[in-house]
Every structure is written in C-alpha cells, then in structure tokens.
Amino acid sequence: MRRMLNIVALGAVIIAGIGTYAVNGEQNPDDWKLQVDSNEAAWKNRTVRVSYTGTNQALKDVELSVEGNQYVYGSYIDEVFRYREDVGKQYRSFARAVKQLGYDLRIKTEDGYVAVGQEGLDTLVLLKSKDGETVERTEFTDVQFLLESGWSGLFVYKDAVHLVYNENYELTNQHIAVLNQETKTIETKKIERNGVLIENVITDAMGVEFTVEEQMTIGTDNRYIPIEATRLETVEAEDGETYSESFSLSGLYVYDVKENRVVSLDSEQDVVASTVFGHTYQSILADGTETSINLKTLAETSRQVIQGKIGMASYHNALLYHVYSTQSGAEINVFDESTLVSKGTVTGADVAKSVQYYVY
C-alpha cells in the first residue's frame, strides 16, 4: 500500500492519507498523563496514541509513554522517521536492500528475515537474511505473470518461500507461487476455491505496523497459515449479466498448505485483535474470549479474558493490551495468557468530546 503525504501548510495542517490533523502551538502534551501501576517492563517501547477532538474542535494526536509525551504533527510522518531511527545497525543492510525494491512484502521467521519484491518491470527479487546484516539475494526473471498480478501475502513452508497472488488481479484466479532459490524457478498451483479464498495472509499483529526489530517471529513449518478470508459470490446485474463479487468474512480462517484450501475455524465471532508467533495463532474475539490455535495441528484452546464490553485491543510481543474509555480518560489492562500482568491509566486535562486510544 502506498501512502501519499501532502504537507499543506507549515506546521498548520498535514494531510496524511487517512486524516487531517490541526496543530496549535499552544498545546501542551503534558496535559495528558500515562500512569503505570506495576510491571513497567510491559510498557517498554510501547506507546499510547490519543486521537481526540478538544474544546476548540481541532483534531489532535498525542503520544504517551513511560519515557514521556509528545504531540504528533501528522498521521505517519513521525513514524517514518522513528522507523529509521529504531532499525538497529544489525538490521540496516536488510532494510536498505528492501528499500531498493519497487514493491515488497516482508516477514520475520524463526530463521531470519524474508522479503519478496519487484525490481524494474521484469524482475522478482527474493531477499533473505539471518541476522539483518548479511543479505542473500535471488533474482527471478521471465515472471511477468507474477509482476502483473495482485499479491495477497507471503509465508515460508519447509524452507520454501510461498507467495499468494491473484493472476491478472482476479480473485477467481488465485494461486500459490513457490520460489526455488537453487534453480531460480517458480512452481505455481491454483488454490481450491470452495467459495472462500485468501484476502490477506496474516503475518503480524492485526492492524499494527512494526519496525523490523519488533516484527513477530513466524514459524516456517506451519501446515496452517492464518489468513483473512473473502467469499466470492455470483451477482446478477439489472441487465441480466452475472459477475463475481468478493465479500470480506469475519471469523478465523487458515490456509491448509497440504490440502491447498481455506479452512474455517470460527465463522460466528468477529475478530477484535490477533497475532502470530512461532506456531501459535492467537486472537481476541468479540465476546472477550481469547483463542490460541496450534498452526501445526489446529489444536485449539480458549479462555475468557475480557469481561464486559470490548474496547480497543492489540497484541504486542504476545501480550494483549485492552483499552476502555473512562470519564477522565482510559484504563489499559495488559494480559499475558489471560493473566492480568499490568495496568495503565490515561488522564487528560482537555476532556475530549470524541477520543480514541491506540497502543502500538
């Protein structure tokens, strides 16, 4: 995905893809407080972003952390600079190599870092790095069918990199491309439809953008690959013509590598937050239940974690951060396998009429 940044006025308004943020030089980020009552280690490198409309109706963003507060002058600009700063020296070679590609997908596995991207108009590039410093590069040519297709995700199975793609951007023509580094050839196979296909491969915490260092580690021997699913339905137009239309599906789904098909695990509950680490796919569902799925066997365990109304939730390093609003701000509970391990409180001097909280 490409994000277009357009700085309209010097320090006044910044349009950043998904929102417009007005900045007032008199605002003071210290008007907001984050207080952690215990286990401060759970908040290391974590940030609470508060997006709110204050008394002057201007949309503001402030970031709170145990290290201090700061106002954000845009939706993604500060993140871009912080991303570059956060990438340690041992990861910069990999990050630099990825940056040279015109478009890319990347994951972090138990064996290191993997990226697949496009170079020019006719070359597919596979990058691998165990330590982030030494980068192994493999080029595939004569792959126009891949470069002219939509990519839906990346995973590694039995040491081979698999790329999910929709040939000619058509969901009805969804395939898996298996990249062979030794022969520099690509084997393809069409995914069995059964009405449901892959919308995206889930290779990180849902809705969270990580630096290279913080990406979750994905297993390379998982038979079942967690995905977001889409259903194709035949729709008849007023003129009698029929066409296929896709609909995003709620619930938990995986792609079965061996049987080459999508498997539904729980289609009844909406997924509030999810993450993948090693061979575990962990999710919080809309009823507050946390489910953990073994991606080798599909064995599943579940437990009630959140009681009452579900607020904003996200996973970081296998910890669950659950935010719910209060009259003076918000409470944030941190869970480790359903056990409450820390609690944070957010308060603000400027009581907002409309406020949202995110932990990342």
Side-chain angles (χ1 to χ4, degrees):
M1 181 186 297
R2 296 287 185 268
R3 293 188 175 90
M4 302 295 291
L5 303 182
N6 179 20
I7 301 179
V8 179
L10 184 60
V13 177
I14 295 177
I15 299 176
I18 63 171
T20 303
Y21 298 83
V23 178
N24 184 333
E26 298 179 356
Q27 296 170 1
N28 182 2
D30 291 333
D31 289 344
W32 289 86
K33 304 290 184 184
L34 169 63
Q35 183 176 346
V36 176
D37 67 350
S38 62
N39 191 12
E40 196 168 293
W43 298 86
K44 184 179 180 181
N45 298 326
R46 295 278 70 80
T47 298
V48 182
R49 169 168 284 198
V50 184
S51 297
Y52 67 102
T53 302
T55 53
N56 62 0
Q57 301 302 309
L59 185 63
K60 312 169 186 176
D61 269 19
V62 62
E63 291 185 341
L64 315 177
S65 70
V66 292
E67 287 82 20
N69 303 343
Q70 65 175 349
Y71 270 109
V72 181
Y73 298 92
S75 182
Y76 287 103
I77 292 178
D78 281 3
E79 286 83 345
V80 171
F81 287 109
R82 184 161 52 249
Y83 173 85
R84 293 173 181 173
E85 293 173 357
D86 287 347
V87 175
K89 292 181 180 179
Q90 66 271 34
Y91 301 95
R92 287 181 181 166
S93 294
F94 178 78
R96 190 180 299 115
V98 172
K99 188 179 177 182
Q100 304 305 312
L101 304 178
Y103 177 78
D104 71 273
L105 297 175
R106 70 194 76 174
I107 58 175
K108 180 182 177 183
T109 74
E110 296 164 326
D111 300 325
Y113 301 93
V114 177
V116 172
Q118 179 175 343
E119 184 176 74
L121 299 176
D122 57 1
T123 304
L124 186 77
V125 177
L126 170 61
L127 301 175
K128 281 188 174 182
S129 178
K130 291 186 177 181
D131 55 8
E133 183 175 355
T134 303
V135 182
E136 180 183 354
R137 176 188 172 101
T138 306
E139 294 185 359
F140 298 84
T141 55
D142 299 322
V143 288
Q144 212 63 32
F145 69 96
L146 272 179
L147 303 182
E148 295 175 355
S149 297
W151 297 357
S152 298
L154 184 69
F155 63 91
V156 179
Y157 180 67
K158 291 188 174 179
D159 296 325
V161 177
H162 293 60
L163 178 65
V164 183
Y165 70 98
N166 304 316
E167 192 165 351
N168 297 322
Y169 292 91
E170 296 176 358
L171 270 173
T172 53
N173 205 12
Q174 190 169 83
H175 293 70
I176 299 285
V178 184
L179 281 58
N180 189 317
Q181 285 181 269
E182 293 184 2
T183 62
K184 296 184 180 180
T185 58
I186 297 177
E187 176 187 347
T188 65
K189 56 182 178 181
K190 190 168 184 176
I191 297 176
E192 295 295 330
R193 264 185 64 176
N194 295 327
V196 179
L197 288 170
I198 299 171
E199 187 168 29
N200 292 295
V201 175
I202 299 174
T203 54
D204 248 322
M206 188 173 72
V208 179
E209 294 187 4
F210 287 95
T211 64
V212 175
E213 247 177 308
E214 287 188 313
Q215 279 189 288
M216 306 302 284
T217 302
I218 314 300
T220 58
D221 56 352
N222 295 328
R223 170 178 173 176
Y224 302 96
I225 309 301
I227 65 165
E228 293 175 337
T230 184
R231 176 181 292 280
L232 289 179
E233 295 185 6
T234 300
V235 178
E236 184 174 344
E238 294 181 357
D239 59 4
E241 294 291 327
T242 60
Y243 61 94
S244 294
E245 187 170 346
S246 62
F247 300 88
S248 297
L249 298 176
S250 60
L252 299 173
Y253 292 84
V254 294
Y255 166 70
D256 185 341
V257 180
K258 290 187 177 180
E259 294 191 6
N260 188 31
R261 65 186 181 94
V262 172
V263 179
S264 173
L265 303 179
D266 185 344
S267 58
E268 301 299 323
Q269 290 284 334
D270 286 334
V271 179
V272 178
S274 66
T275 190
V276 183
F277 51 96
H279 60 272
T280 302
Y281 177 28
Q282 196 157 293
S283 302
I284 280 287
L285 305 181
D287 63 356
T289 300
E290 182 178 67
T291 179
S292 296
I293 298 166
N294 186 311
L295 294 174
K296 293 182 179 180
T297 65
L298 277 195
E300 182 177 347
T301 59
S302 61
R303 54 217 169 197
Q304 191 71 31
V305 174
I306 301 172
Q307 303 291 338
K309 185 179 179 180
I310 303 293
M312 179 66 64
S314 56
Y315 281 99
H316 305 279
N317 296 331
L319 297 179
L320 173 67
Y321 293 75
H322 178 239
V323 185
Y324 58 95
S325 298
T326 64
Q327 287 187 342
S328 59
E331 298 287 339
I332 305 173
N333 291 330
V334 186
F335 297 93
D336 184 0
E337 295 186 349
S338 76
T339 300
L340 182 65
V341 295
S342 184
K343 181 180 290 187
T345 303
V346 175
T347 55
D350 186 356
V351 178
K353 294 183 178 179
S354 176
V355 61
Q356 290 180 308
Y357 303 89
Y358 306 90
V359 180
Y360 67 94

